[in-house]
Amino acid sequence: MKDDEKYQNLQESQLKEWEASCLRCGACCGTEDGDPCEYLMKLADKDEYYCQIYENRFGLHKTKNGKPFKCVPLRNILHKTWPGDSRCRYKA
Ligand code: SF4
Ligand code: SF4
C-alpha cells in the first residue's frame, strides 16, 4: 500500500474513532435549550439523536422555531459553552 493510501486510511479510522465517542445526546444541536436544529431527529426507541443531513451539515440552517444559525465543526465550538455541554464526551 502506498504511503498516501496508508495516511488516508489512518485519517479515516481516526475520524471513525472520534465520531464513535459521541453520546448522540444532541445537546450541541439544541436538545437542551428548547429550540433544536430543524434537522435534528430522535431515534424512536432510544434517548439518542441524529442529524438528517449529516454529510452536508455545515452552513446556515434554522431551528425548529425558525431562528437562523450556522452549523460549524464541533472543534470550532469546544471552547464555548452550550446548554447540556457538561455531558459532552469531547469536553470531558
Ligand atoms: S445540521 Fe448541524 S446543528 Fe443541525 S442537526 Fe445537523 S449537526 Fe446538528
Ligand atoms: S454534545 Fe457532545 S456528546 Fe452530545 S451529541 Fe454533541 S458532540 Fe455528541
Side-chain angles (χ1 to χ4, degrees):
M1 191 186 292
K2 289 180 187 168
D3 282 351
D4 55 346
E5 275 178 72
K6 279 188 198 165
Y7 181 68
Q8 197 178 342
N9 287 347
L10 179 65
Q11 275 193 316
E12 280 168 14
S13 73
Q14 284 176 335
L15 181 63
K16 276 186 192 158
E17 213 174 289
W18 161 265
E19 295 202 340
S21 302
C22 178
L23 299 171
R24 317 278 182 237
C25 68
C28 58
C29 302
T31 50
E32 300 291 322
D33 72 5
D35 188 17
C37 174
E38 63 182 337
Y39 294 112
L40 189 68
M41 301 298 289
K42 190 174 187 296
L43 285 173
D45 53 344
K46 289 182 174 178
D47 199 17
E48 290 182 12
Y49 293 81
Y50 67 95
C51 174
Q52 281 181 301
I53 57 161
Y54 190 74
E55 296 301 325
N56 300 301
R57 64 197 182 280
F58 302 133
L60 198 59
H61 302 304
K62 285 186 288 185
T63 65
K64 293 196 191 290
N65 288 339
K67 188 173 141 196
F69 76 97
K70 200 170 173 189
C71 178
V72 299
L74 188 68
R75 65 177 176 274
N76 293 13
I77 60 165
L78 275 179
H79 64 287
K80 297 184 178 176
T81 59
W82 61 88
D85 68 351
S86 58
R87 59 181 167 153
C88 179
R89 188 56 72 71
Y90 303 105
K91 288 180 79 90

